[in-house]
mmCIF file of all heavy atoms in Angstrom:
data_model
loop_
_atom_site.group_PDB
_atom_site.id
_atom_site.type_symbol
_atom_site.label_atom_id
_atom_site.label_comp_id
_atom_site.label_asym_id
_atom_site.label_seq_id
_atom_site.Cartn_x
_atom_site.Cartn_y
_atom_site.Cartn_z
ATOM 1 N N ALA I 1 -48.334 -2.137 90.242
ATOM 2 C CA ALA I 1 -48.700 -0.719 90.623
ATOM 3 C C ALA I 1 -47.437 0.062 91.028
ATOM 4 O O ALA I 1 -47.360 1.243 90.704
ATOM 5 C CB ALA I 1 -49.710 -0.768 91.808
ATOM 6 N N ALA I 2 -46.464 -0.562 91.715
ATOM 7 C CA ALA I 2 -45.269 0.119 92.081
ATOM 8 C C ALA I 2 -44.491 0.528 90.807
ATOM 9 O O ALA I 2 -43.937 1.631 90.770
ATOM 10 C CB ALA I 2 -44.460 -0.782 92.964
ATOM 11 N N GLU I 3 -44.394 -0.388 89.888
ATOM 12 C CA GLU I 3 -43.717 -0.097 88.601
ATOM 13 C C GLU I 3 -44.425 1.083 87.948
ATOM 14 O O GLU I 3 -43.721 2.018 87.371
ATOM 15 C CB GLU I 3 -43.667 -1.329 87.735
ATOM 16 C CG GLU I 3 -42.825 -1.156 86.556
ATOM 17 C CD GLU I 3 -42.562 -2.570 85.878
ATOM 18 O OE1 GLU I 3 -43.387 -3.439 85.985
ATOM 19 O OE2 GLU I 3 -41.599 -2.638 85.123
ATOM 20 N N ARG I 4 -45.697 1.084 87.942
ATOM 21 C CA ARG I 4 -46.428 2.159 87.259
ATOM 22 C C ARG I 4 -46.341 3.551 87.926
ATOM 23 O O ARG I 4 -46.166 4.567 87.280
ATOM 24 C CB ARG I 4 -47.927 1.696 87.104
ATOM 25 C CG ARG I 4 -48.842 2.779 86.482
ATOM 26 C CD ARG I 4 -50.273 2.211 86.450
ATOM 27 N NE ARG I 4 -51.225 3.281 86.017
ATOM 28 C CZ ARG I 4 -52.544 3.104 86.058
ATOM 29 N NH1 ARG I 4 -53.063 1.982 86.590
ATOM 30 N NH2 ARG I 4 -53.345 4.088 85.663
ATOM 31 N N PHE I 5 -46.549 3.569 89.261
ATOM 32 C CA PHE I 5 -46.641 4.770 90.014
ATOM 33 C C PHE I 5 -45.384 5.257 90.708
ATOM 34 O O PHE I 5 -45.199 6.413 90.868
ATOM 35 C CB PHE I 5 -47.773 4.670 91.045
ATOM 36 C CG PHE I 5 -49.179 4.433 90.449
ATOM 37 C CD1 PHE I 5 -49.756 3.237 90.663
ATOM 38 C CD2 PHE I 5 -49.799 5.371 89.711
ATOM 39 C CE1 PHE I 5 -51.033 2.943 90.134
ATOM 40 C CE2 PHE I 5 -51.008 5.169 89.122
ATOM 41 C CZ PHE I 5 -51.661 3.937 89.369
ATOM 42 N N ASP I 6 -44.541 4.274 91.022
ATOM 43 C CA ASP I 6 -43.277 4.691 91.778
ATOM 44 C C ASP I 6 -42.010 4.536 90.930
ATOM 45 O O ASP I 6 -40.969 4.894 91.383
ATOM 46 C CB ASP I 6 -43.174 3.809 93.068
ATOM 47 C CG ASP I 6 -44.414 3.948 93.975
ATOM 48 O OD1 ASP I 6 -44.711 5.102 94.292
ATOM 49 O OD2 ASP I 6 -44.986 2.890 94.305
ATOM 50 N N GLY I 7 -42.119 3.953 89.715
ATOM 51 C CA GLY I 7 -41.014 3.826 88.909
ATOM 52 C C GLY I 7 -40.006 2.789 89.273
ATOM 53 O O GLY I 7 -38.807 2.853 88.864
ATOM 54 N N VAL I 8 -40.402 1.831 89.998
ATOM 55 C CA VAL I 8 -39.525 0.728 90.470
ATOM 56 C C VAL I 8 -40.400 -0.530 90.750
ATOM 57 O O VAL I 8 -41.517 -0.420 91.197
ATOM 58 C CB VAL I 8 -38.761 1.150 91.739
ATOM 59 C CG1 VAL I 8 -39.667 1.403 92.889
ATOM 60 C CG2 VAL I 8 -37.706 0.118 92.089
ATOM 61 N N ARG I 9 -39.844 -1.639 90.464
ATOM 62 C CA ARG I 9 -40.484 -2.905 90.761
ATOM 63 C C ARG I 9 -39.787 -3.620 91.878
ATOM 64 O O ARG I 9 -38.677 -4.207 91.701
ATOM 65 C CB ARG I 9 -40.506 -3.858 89.495
ATOM 66 C CG ARG I 9 -41.439 -5.024 89.584
ATOM 67 C CD ARG I 9 -41.516 -5.719 88.262
ATOM 68 N NE ARG I 9 -42.477 -6.853 88.363
ATOM 69 C CZ ARG I 9 -43.815 -6.693 88.140
ATOM 70 N NH1 ARG I 9 -44.285 -5.488 87.747
ATOM 71 N NH2 ARG I 9 -44.558 -7.685 88.243
ATOM 72 N N PRO I 10 -40.331 -3.543 93.098
ATOM 73 C CA PRO I 10 -39.627 -4.019 94.277
ATOM 74 C C PRO I 10 -39.337 -5.527 94.218
ATOM 75 O O PRO I 10 -40.145 -6.319 93.780
ATOM 76 C CB PRO I 10 -40.573 -3.753 95.441
ATOM 77 C CG PRO I 10 -41.557 -2.721 94.917
ATOM 78 C CD PRO I 10 -41.693 -2.975 93.416
ATOM 79 N N VAL I 11 -38.101 -5.845 94.560
ATOM 80 C CA VAL I 11 -37.779 -7.309 94.732
ATOM 81 C C VAL I 11 -38.541 -7.839 95.904
ATOM 82 O O VAL I 11 -39.054 -8.957 95.839
ATOM 83 C CB VAL I 11 -36.293 -7.486 94.880
ATOM 84 C CG1 VAL I 11 -35.950 -8.920 95.119
ATOM 85 C CG2 VAL I 11 -35.533 -6.958 93.610
ATOM 86 N N HIS I 12 -38.487 -7.132 97.026
ATOM 87 C CA HIS I 12 -39.201 -7.553 98.238
ATOM 88 C C HIS I 12 -40.282 -6.579 98.535
ATOM 89 O O HIS I 12 -40.048 -5.399 98.678
ATOM 90 C CB HIS I 12 -38.195 -7.537 99.427
ATOM 91 C CG HIS I 12 -37.057 -8.541 99.292
ATOM 92 N ND1 HIS I 12 -37.234 -9.880 99.439
ATOM 93 C CD2 HIS I 12 -35.747 -8.365 98.941
ATOM 94 C CE1 HIS I 12 -36.116 -10.536 99.269
ATOM 95 N NE2 HIS I 12 -35.143 -9.638 98.940
ATOM 96 N N LEU I 13 -41.503 -7.090 98.643
ATOM 97 C CA LEU I 13 -42.598 -6.207 99.076
ATOM 98 C C LEU I 13 -42.613 -6.075 100.595
ATOM 99 O O LEU I 13 -42.755 -4.990 101.128
ATOM 100 C CB LEU I 13 -43.964 -6.848 98.604
ATOM 101 C CG LEU I 13 -44.147 -6.801 97.123
ATOM 102 C CD1 LEU I 13 -45.392 -7.627 96.763
ATOM 103 C CD2 LEU I 13 -44.358 -5.334 96.634
ATOM 104 N N ARG I 14 -42.302 -7.180 101.325
ATOM 105 C CA ARG I 14 -42.052 -6.989 102.687
ATOM 106 C C ARG I 14 -40.587 -6.780 102.971
ATOM 107 O O ARG I 14 -39.687 -7.537 102.476
ATOM 108 C CB ARG I 14 -42.556 -8.249 103.486
ATOM 109 C CG ARG I 14 -42.192 -8.112 104.972
ATOM 110 C CD ARG I 14 -42.964 -9.075 105.872
ATOM 111 N NE ARG I 14 -42.577 -8.928 107.305
ATOM 112 C CZ ARG I 14 -43.161 -9.533 108.319
ATOM 113 N NH1 ARG I 14 -44.216 -10.373 108.081
ATOM 114 N NH2 ARG I 14 -42.769 -9.365 109.558
ATOM 115 N N VAL I 15 -40.270 -5.693 103.602
ATOM 116 C CA VAL I 15 -38.896 -5.271 103.792
ATOM 117 C C VAL I 15 -38.116 -6.340 104.645
ATOM 118 O O VAL I 15 -38.596 -6.637 105.743
ATOM 119 C CB VAL I 15 -38.787 -3.908 104.382
ATOM 120 C CG1 VAL I 15 -37.319 -3.483 104.629
ATOM 121 C CG2 VAL I 15 -39.525 -2.855 103.576
ATOM 122 N N PRO I 16 -37.048 -6.922 104.167
ATOM 123 C CA PRO I 16 -36.236 -7.804 104.994
ATOM 124 C C PRO I 16 -35.772 -7.220 106.244
ATOM 125 O O PRO I 16 -35.348 -5.989 106.312
ATOM 126 C CB PRO I 16 -35.097 -8.185 103.985
ATOM 127 C CG PRO I 16 -35.589 -7.879 102.611
ATOM 128 C CD PRO I 16 -36.487 -6.716 102.798
ATOM 129 N N ALA I 17 -35.670 -8.053 107.264
ATOM 130 C CA ALA I 17 -35.263 -7.543 108.576
ATOM 131 C C ALA I 17 -33.870 -6.927 108.505
ATOM 132 O O ALA I 17 -33.548 -5.908 109.227
ATOM 133 C CB ALA I 17 -35.256 -8.684 109.626
ATOM 134 N N GLN I 18 -32.988 -7.492 107.733
ATOM 135 C CA GLN I 18 -31.568 -7.021 107.683
ATOM 136 C C GLN I 18 -31.495 -5.609 107.038
ATOM 137 O O GLN I 18 -30.674 -4.767 107.444
ATOM 138 C CB GLN I 18 -30.672 -7.902 106.866
ATOM 139 C CG GLN I 18 -31.099 -8.201 105.425
ATOM 140 C CD GLN I 18 -31.933 -9.471 105.320
ATOM 141 O OE1 GLN I 18 -32.707 -9.779 106.204
ATOM 142 N NE2 GLN I 18 -31.808 -10.141 104.190
ATOM 143 N N ALA I 19 -32.441 -5.263 106.181
ATOM 144 C CA ALA I 19 -32.510 -3.901 105.592
ATOM 145 C C ALA I 19 -32.952 -2.889 106.651
ATOM 146 O O ALA I 19 -32.407 -1.769 106.666
ATOM 147 C CB ALA I 19 -33.481 -3.859 104.402
ATOM 148 N N ILE I 20 -33.863 -3.264 107.530
ATOM 149 C CA ILE I 20 -34.269 -2.434 108.619
ATOM 150 C C ILE I 20 -33.144 -2.161 109.578
ATOM 151 O O ILE I 20 -32.851 -1.049 109.997
ATOM 152 C CB ILE I 20 -35.507 -3.010 109.353
ATOM 153 C CG1 ILE I 20 -36.630 -3.104 108.383
ATOM 154 C CG2 ILE I 20 -35.909 -2.100 110.521
ATOM 155 C CD1 ILE I 20 -37.926 -3.796 108.930
ATOM 156 N N ASP I 21 -32.460 -3.234 109.938
ATOM 157 C CA ASP I 21 -31.294 -3.176 110.847
ATOM 158 C C ASP I 21 -30.232 -2.329 110.267
ATOM 159 O O ASP I 21 -29.593 -1.484 110.928
ATOM 160 C CB ASP I 21 -30.755 -4.544 111.185
ATOM 161 C CG ASP I 21 -31.816 -5.378 112.018
ATOM 162 O OD1 ASP I 21 -32.638 -4.772 112.627
ATOM 163 O OD2 ASP I 21 -31.619 -6.614 111.973
ATOM 164 N N GLN I 22 -29.922 -2.481 109.007
ATOM 165 C CA GLN I 22 -28.915 -1.765 108.322
ATOM 166 C C GLN I 22 -29.196 -0.226 108.297
ATOM 167 O O GLN I 22 -28.293 0.577 108.486
ATOM 168 C CB GLN I 22 -28.568 -2.276 106.918
ATOM 169 C CG GLN I 22 -27.455 -1.531 106.212
ATOM 170 C CD GLN I 22 -27.107 -2.128 104.872
ATOM 171 O OE1 GLN I 22 -27.598 -3.213 104.477
ATOM 172 N NE2 GLN I 22 -26.385 -1.346 104.027
ATOM 173 N N ALA I 23 -30.402 0.054 108.036
ATOM 174 C CA ALA I 23 -30.779 1.450 108.004
ATOM 175 C C ALA I 23 -30.565 2.146 109.312
ATOM 176 O O ALA I 23 -30.097 3.356 109.372
ATOM 177 C CB ALA I 23 -32.337 1.571 107.626
ATOM 178 N N LEU I 24 -30.799 1.474 110.470
ATOM 179 C CA LEU I 24 -30.511 2.049 111.713
ATOM 180 C C LEU I 24 -29.057 2.222 111.959
ATOM 181 O O LEU I 24 -28.585 3.187 112.489
ATOM 182 C CB LEU I 24 -31.160 1.172 112.828
ATOM 183 C CG LEU I 24 -30.964 1.651 114.239
ATOM 184 C CD1 LEU I 24 -31.556 3.077 114.471
ATOM 185 C CD2 LEU I 24 -31.619 0.694 115.295
ATOM 186 N N GLY I 25 -28.274 1.207 111.556
ATOM 187 C CA GLY I 25 -26.828 1.218 111.697
ATOM 188 C C GLY I 25 -26.234 2.420 110.928
ATOM 189 O O GLY I 25 -25.214 2.968 111.363
ATOM 190 N N ASP I 26 -26.781 2.722 109.781
ATOM 191 C CA ASP I 26 -26.274 3.809 108.944
ATOM 192 C C ASP I 26 -26.839 5.161 109.288
ATOM 193 O O ASP I 26 -26.391 6.162 108.681
ATOM 194 C CB ASP I 26 -26.585 3.526 107.478
ATOM 195 C CG ASP I 26 -25.908 2.225 106.943
ATOM 196 O OD1 ASP I 26 -24.953 1.817 107.562
ATOM 197 O OD2 ASP I 26 -26.361 1.724 105.919
ATOM 198 N N LEU I 27 -27.705 5.273 110.240
ATOM 199 C CA LEU I 27 -28.395 6.525 110.532
ATOM 200 C C LEU I 27 -27.458 7.531 111.172
ATOM 201 O O LEU I 27 -26.660 7.162 112.011
ATOM 202 C CB LEU I 27 -29.583 6.260 111.427
ATOM 203 C CG LEU I 27 -30.469 7.444 111.795
ATOM 204 C CD1 LEU I 27 -31.199 7.938 110.499
ATOM 205 C CD2 LEU I 27 -31.472 7.091 112.838
ATOM 206 N N ASP I 28 -27.494 8.774 110.740
ATOM 207 C CA ASP I 28 -26.741 9.845 111.324
ATOM 208 C C ASP I 28 -27.018 9.901 112.883
ATOM 209 O O ASP I 28 -28.213 9.915 113.236
ATOM 210 C CB ASP I 28 -27.198 11.178 110.709
ATOM 211 C CG ASP I 28 -26.449 12.374 111.174
ATOM 212 O OD1 ASP I 28 -25.984 12.386 112.346
ATOM 213 O OD2 ASP I 28 -26.275 13.327 110.406
#
């Protein structure tokens, strides 16, 4: 469904913890 509607096939459906932490670290 993601590939069909969002144009991308996610590697991870559940977002890895390190991606959440990195997003906060990179936040303006």
Side-chain angles (χ1 to χ4, degrees):
E3 190 168 23
R4 176 182 173 189
F5 298 112
D6 301 306
V8 63
R9 193 172 183 88
V11 175
H12 297 283
L13 291 171
R14 179 162 176 173
V15 178
Q18 59 267 33
I20 299 174
D21 293 339
Q22 182 177 344
L24 181 58
D26 294 342
L27 186 64
D28 182 331

